[in-house]
Amino acid sequence: MFSARTFGKLSLVLGRNRSAGTLAGISHVPVMATETIKFLKPQDNELFLDMTFGAGGHTKEILKVAPNAKIIALDRDPTAHDMALAMAKKYPGQIFPILGRFSELPEQLAKINVNQQSIDGIIFDFGCSSMQFDEGSRGFSISKNGPLDMRMDQDRFPDTPSAAEILAKIDEVDLARILKIYGEEKQAKKIARAIVETRYSIKKIETTKELADIVQSCLGSGSFRLDKLQRPSHPATKTFQALRIFVNNELNEINYGMILAQRYLKIGGKMIAITFHSLEDTIVKRHVMGNVLNDMANTLPLKYCSHTISYEHDVMENVMKTSWHQMTKHVVLPGDDEVEQNPRSRSAKLRAVVRVA
């Protein structure tokens, strides 16, 4: 069994010496927090793994219900990790921060003697956090001009290209595939052609505004779309989504995260997964229902990125029969009040399952 001292050493190794003052003012409302706690049913002295810590919203909700619970706080974003380190100081011996992707987790858990089938509950809250969208310099937001970056890991992996660097060298056919599959963009070929033509005839695309303007100009002045709340949505929204997913290798990470959840949860342990678009939900659904195809998420070329996930051969070759019991017949959707108060939740879907094998 791990110790607080061991976790403390790990936090010092993985942590970053960033002033706590830089984190002031960051706010993030956890999506479907009430439903998460309802299905998770946290108890004192249980061990939980928050796989997408963010600003710690779900972790805080667990501690309200189970003040003596222990929580491993994982996030690939250094800013989120800094927030986890700050929270760990308030809850000594209870919050244990880890900086890394899902694919880095097994190595880090092995260092601190956390074994498979030892965790009581796991939470996933996929997609970008409000903090990432709110900081224009991160390059995630259409409405805040900044460098076209989109790397969730920031500068942890200097060899990983930014969205701007990918757009500077990707060919039109591959870009169209990325936009169509990862962004579910119907005008993928048209947008890809406009981006490549701009790159060759005018300049490299280096800012979020430049990309957003190209897409809008390509699709025409009347191209604003409506979201699920029937509100105007920028025509470049799907393009930004596709690039972000590709830059961060998100679908392969989610696929691997689902495998890890099955391995590290106890029999009877609970998993809560909150998704925000159909690509994420499809992967979660396939794992929950046991309909997993070999390497199913890796549907696009990664030659423009430096992703180096090394999946265990026996894991990826295994066609799993379901290890889960679904706690609800259908996905759980946010209530009208939550959508009104927190628009980010409007597309959320929650799946709650118990490990049975």
Side-chain angles (χ1 to χ4, degrees), residues 41-91:
K41 292 182 173 62
Q43 303 293 319
D44 279 340
N45 300 315
E46 286 186 330
L47 174 63
F48 298 92
L49 174 53
D50 189 341
M51 295 281 271
T52 47
F53 179 80
H58 288 108
T59 288
K60 292 175 184 176
E61 294 299 320
I62 290 175
L63 292 173
K64 286 180 183 178
V65 178
N68 295 314
K70 291 181 173 61
I71 304 170
I72 303 169
L74 174 72
D75 207 291
R76 66 189 292 178
D77 191 318
T79 299
H81 180 63
D82 288 341
M83 300 186 75
L85 290 171
M87 188 181 294
K89 294 180 180 179
K90 296 181 180 180
Y91 297 91

Side-chain angles (χ1 to χ4, degrees), residues 100-354:
R101 305 169 178 174
F102 300 154
S103 51
E104 297 177 82
L105 185 60
E107 180 182 357
Q108 301 303 338
L109 291 182
K111 289 180 181 178
I112 54 178
N113 299 318
V114 175
N115 300 317
Q116 295 183 18
Q117 300 188 37
S118 65
I119 294 174
D120 296 285
I122 292 179
I123 299 174
F124 291 95
D125 180 4
F126 296 117
C128 277
S129 69
S130 299
M131 346 180 256
Q132 290 167 332
F133 280 120
D134 289 343
E135 190 176 343
S137 63
R138 301 294 302 276
F140 291 100
S141 175
I142 296 175
S143 61
K144 297 179 184 294
N145 191 32
L148 192 58
D149 192 329
M150 296 192 182
R151 293 174 299 173
M152 291 181 175
D153 302 288
Q154 295 185 29
D155 58 356
R156 290 185 61 226
F157 301 100
D159 293 335
T160 299
S162 66
E165 291 170 328
I166 290 171
L167 291 183
K169 59 184 178 181
I170 193 169
D171 64 53
E172 184 179 324
V173 173
D174 284 338
L175 179 56
R177 291 181 65 202
I178 289 171
L179 300 183
K180 180 179 180 180
I181 297 176
Y182 285 174
E184 300 174 297
E185 173 57 72
K186 295 180 181 179
Q187 301 294 327
K189 291 183 178 180
K190 187 175 183 180
I191 294 171
R193 184 175 304 113
I195 289 173
V196 173
E197 288 179 352
T198 298
R199 180 181 76 197
Y200 284 124
S201 62
I202 303 177
K203 66 181 294 290
K204 292 181 180 179
I205 303 165
E206 298 178 320
T207 70
T208 54
K209 185 177 187 304
E210 289 171 350
L211 178 59
D213 288 348
I214 289 170
V215 176
Q216 186 171 350
S217 175
C218 168
L219 298 184
S221 58
S223 59
F224 276 85
R225 299 159 174 173
L226 298 179
D227 64 16
K228 292 187 178 182
L229 296 180
Q230 297 303 299
R231 302 177 308 181
S233 174
H234 197 285
T237 298
K238 292 183 177 182
T239 296
F240 272 65
Q241 172 186 300
L243 285 174
R244 187 204 82 213
I245 290 173
F246 184 73
V247 167
N248 295 289
N249 199 23
E250 289 181 39
L251 298 190
N252 279 313
E253 286 288 335
I254 292 173
N255 190 41
Y256 195 53
M258 290 293 101
I259 294 171
L260 293 181
Q262 190 270 337
R263 288 199 163 196
Y264 280 91
L265 274 177
K266 298 176 178 177
I267 300 294
K270 304 177 184 69
M271 179 183 76
I272 310 298
I274 302 172
T275 61
F276 291 88
H277 57 73
S278 61
L279 299 175
E280 295 171 344
D281 186 59
T282 296
I283 295 174
V284 174
K285 182 179 179 180
R286 286 179 177 177
H287 278 274
V288 166
M289 300 185 71
N291 183 22
V292 179
L293 301 177
N294 181 41
D295 204 14
M296 67 177 183
N298 188 14
T299 58
L300 288 172
L302 293 178
K303 61 186 177 183
Y304 302 99
C305 292
S306 59
H307 304 305
T308 56
I309 293 180
S310 178
Y311 296 109
E312 297 176 47
H313 182 75
D314 64 316
V315 172
M316 296 310 300
E317 288 297 318
N318 181 32
V319 179
M320 297 159 54
K321 63 181 180 180
T322 184
S323 300
W324 306 102
H325 167 72
Q326 299 183 68
M327 300 174 70
T328 62
K329 186 175 181 180
H330 304 289
V331 294
V332 180
L333 304 178
D336 293 339
D337 290 343
E338 178 170 4
V339 172
E340 183 177 352
Q341 295 174 16
N342 183 13
R344 178 177 177 263
S345 68
R346 65 186 180 274
S347 57
K349 294 181 179 180
L350 182 150
R351 294 184 184 272
V353 296
V354 179

